[in-house]
Amino acid sequence: MIEKFKIKNDKTQINLNISSKVFYPTETTKYLLEATIKKISKKKNLVILDLGCGNGVIGIFLLKKFKHIKHITFSDLSLNAVNVTKKNLRLNKISLKKYEVIQSNQFDNLNQKKFDLIINDVSGISSDVAKITSWFKNVPCDSGNDGTKLTLSILKNFSNYLRKNGSLIFPIISFSNENKVLKLIKKLKLNYKYLSVNSWPVPKVLYKNIKKLNKLKKDKKIYFEVKYNFILANTKILFVK
């Protein structure tokens, strides 16, 4: 199945092959893309890593929008994601000179490549929450019960894959332990700032699991708010150097 993908206030549009075995773009994907566009709009000849690329949506959108991007490496642990990304690059008629697609567990198979920007969209929510949503249906989510396992690993290693003045952009979803992530950022003495903070209502299926959510919140594994009988989570987009 092929779907059209676009974001608000932007004329760019791409087509995507959708697979039930590959992560489907969510609002967090759009928040991450919107923040990235604002950050790189005036930068030229960028070499980018789309880490945890899924179906390739972020990198393909950027290549369609910005002619001045030099090259994007698409990387994902999932072979299904790698294959769908290749299909989507061909579908959107992206020049072969502009990209490569690699199956890799985080940075394992990148052979010391270095980038101006790493866009990290690897799983970042509690695996306990992932199990009770449709977000990760047929898709692995090995992020730990506080959602930080993969994010912390990336933060410990990403600087080895950056060019001079390179940076990392990634989301922190409140269905994870944000304080734990920030603690590591400060321990590593990284400079960071929030590019955006976005609140959103959770899927209705989670209302049936409010006891589990409350337990995770009490144990400080996740965070959410309840306002006017609505459960609200948030996504923060971080920029790190």
Side-chain angles (χ1 to χ4, degrees):
M1 181 172 65
I2 296 176
E3 292 185 3
K4 295 186 182 298
F5 176 89
K6 58 183 180 179
I7 58 176
K8 64 181 180 181
N9 302 321
D10 197 300
K11 295 180 180 179
T12 306
Q13 181 174 283
I14 63 175
N15 296 311
L16 294 173
N17 283 287
I18 301 300
S19 169
S20 62
K21 296 181 179 180
V22 177
F23 186 76
Y24 187 86
T26 64
E27 287 302 306
T28 287
T29 306
K30 293 182 179 180
Y31 299 143
L32 180 57
L33 183 54
E34 289 164 358
T36 301
I37 287 169
K38 290 178 182 178
K39 201 66 185 174
I40 71 171
S41 61
K42 297 181 180 179
K43 296 184 178 181
K44 295 182 179 180
N45 297 318
L46 286 174
V47 177
I48 297 173
L49 171 62
D50 185 351
L51 186 62
C53 64
N55 61 18
V57 54
I58 290 178
I60 293 171
F61 194 97
L62 293 176
L63 286 170
K64 274 288 189 178
K65 183 173 179 63
F66 296 118
K67 302 300 182 184
H68 60 259
I69 290 176
K70 185 176 182 179
H71 190 271
I72 294 184
T73 296
F74 294 81
S75 173
D76 203 289
L77 174 62
S78 165
L79 180 59
N80 289 317
V82 166
N83 289 333
V84 171
T85 293
K86 289 178 179 178
K87 288 181 181 179
N88 285 330
L89 284 158
R90 292 193 294 268
L91 177 64
N92 288 279
K93 299 180 180 179
I94 304 298
S95 169
L96 288 169
K97 296 179 181 179
K98 286 282 191 174
Y99 71 86
E100 65 180 326
V101 186
I102 298 174
Q103 184 181 11
S104 179
N105 181 14
Q106 297 185 27
F107 303 107
D108 287 354
N109 297 331
L110 297 182
N111 299 320
Q112 297 302 311
K113 295 178 187 293
K114 292 187 182 289
F115 306 91
D116 299 300
L117 176 67
I118 297 173
I119 305 168
N120 168 32
D121 200 16
V122 171
S123 304
I125 73 166
S126 164
S127 55
D128 289 348
V129 175
K131 291 174 185 176
I132 55 177
T133 72
S134 61
W135 298 325
F136 290 87
K137 186 178 181 181
N138 302 321
V139 180
C141 180
D142 184 25
S143 52
N145 68 352
D146 70 353
T148 66
K149 177 182 174 181
L150 302 177
T151 300
L152 296 180
S153 177
I154 289 166
L155 283 170
K156 291 174 183 177
N157 293 289
F158 82 96
S159 60
N160 296 322
Y161 298 87
L162 289 181
R163 292 178 167 184
K164 184 178 180 180
N165 298 319
S167 54
L168 168 72
I169 293 180
F170 71 101
I172 294 183
I173 303 170
S174 62
F175 282 144
S176 69
N177 188 337
E178 179 181 354
N179 289 332
K180 193 172 180 179
V181 174
L182 293 178
K183 185 177 179 179
L184 178 61
I185 288 174
K186 292 172 183 177
K187 181 180 179 181
L188 295 173
K189 297 182 179 179
L190 300 171
N191 295 316
Y192 75 97
K193 66 178 179 180
Y194 292 104
L195 298 181
S196 68
V197 179
N198 313 273
S199 182
W200 44 273
V202 308
K204 292 297 183 182
V205 65
L206 291 182
Y207 286 73
K208 301 176 183 178
N209 295 274
I210 189 62
K211 289 184 178 179
K212 175 173 280 191
L213 294 181
N214 282 330
K215 178 66 166 57
L216 288 167
K217 182 179 179 181
K218 182 179 179 181
D219 293 341
K220 298 184 178 180
K221 306 293 185 184
I222 67 171
Y223 178 77
F224 59 88
E225 297 180 286
V226 178
K227 290 185 177 180
Y228 309 111
N229 294 320
F230 288 98
I231 303 174
L232 300 176
N234 67 71
T235 299
K236 299 175 181 177
I237 306 300
L238 267 71
F239 178 76
V240 180
K241 297 191 72 173

